[in-house]
Amino acid sequence: ELTTKCISTDKVVRDEAVHSLSTDPGLAAVLPRLTVFIIEGIRVGLGDCKMYYIQYMLEMLDNLLQNKAIRLEKFLHDIIPSVISCMVCTQICGRPLEQDHWLVRGFAARILAGLVKS
């Protein structure tokens, strides 16, 4: 249910769910499933050129990084290639002239920096 809320089209529901990723200490038990969800979500978003979906996945990852009760070290070998793909993929949106894909690429770069620092 948490993952469904994190990708909801209702911004209020999505924001509440994503925010809980940064504060809920009980997420450690489901962290393997959450990271797979995020990694696969990024893969699907890149494959379908759905920039909004990539943004949702990156927001989830960013909030997990802010959660002091969670350790992502075991998952870095899976997470880092996905984040780098968001930065260097040739096309991450369907309309690159109309959509600001540089914001998503910059967000991915900030997340990668956060992963390296943690």
Side-chain angles (χ1 to χ4, degrees), residues 1 4 13 16 18 34 41-42 53 79 84-85 88 97-98:
E1 184 174 286
T4 303
V13 170
E16 287 175 5
V18 170
L34 276 174
I42 289 173
Y53 201 72
I79 294 171
I84 291 174
S85 293
V88 301
L97 297 177
E98 298 169 23

Side-chain angles (χ1 to χ4, degrees), residues 23-44:
T23 57
D24 188 348
L27 292 175
V30 294
L31 195 55
R33 292 171 62 191
L34 276 174
T35 54
V36 168
F37 180 80
I38 292 168
I39 292 163
E40 286 300 308
I42 289 173
R43 184 185 62 77
V44 168

Side-chain angles (χ1 to χ4, degrees), residues 33-104:
R33 292 171 62 191
L34 276 174
T35 54
V36 168
F37 180 80
I38 292 168
I39 292 163
E40 286 300 308
I42 289 173
R43 184 185 62 77
V44 168
L46 289 172
D48 294 343
C49 293
K50 293 185 177 178
M51 190 171 72
Y52 70 92
Y53 201 72
I54 298 166
Q55 178 76 28
Y56 294 169
M57 298 298 115
L58 291 174
E59 286 173 2
M60 289 177 69
L61 184 56
D62 186 45
N63 278 275
L64 282 175
L65 272 172
Q66 295 172 32
N67 191 326
K68 302 298 182 198
I70 290 178
R71 309 298 302 164
L72 291 172
E73 286 84 7
K74 293 182 192 177
F75 309 100
L76 290 179
H77 66 283
D78 291 323
I79 294 171
I80 289 176
S82 295
V83 174
I84 291 174
S85 293
C86 294
M87 294 169 15
V88 301
C89 187
T90 55
Q91 188 168 354
I92 64 172
C93 61
R95 299 180 315 269
L97 297 177
E98 298 169 23
Q99 296 173 303
D100 193 359
H101 59 96
W102 294 111
L103 287 175
V104 174

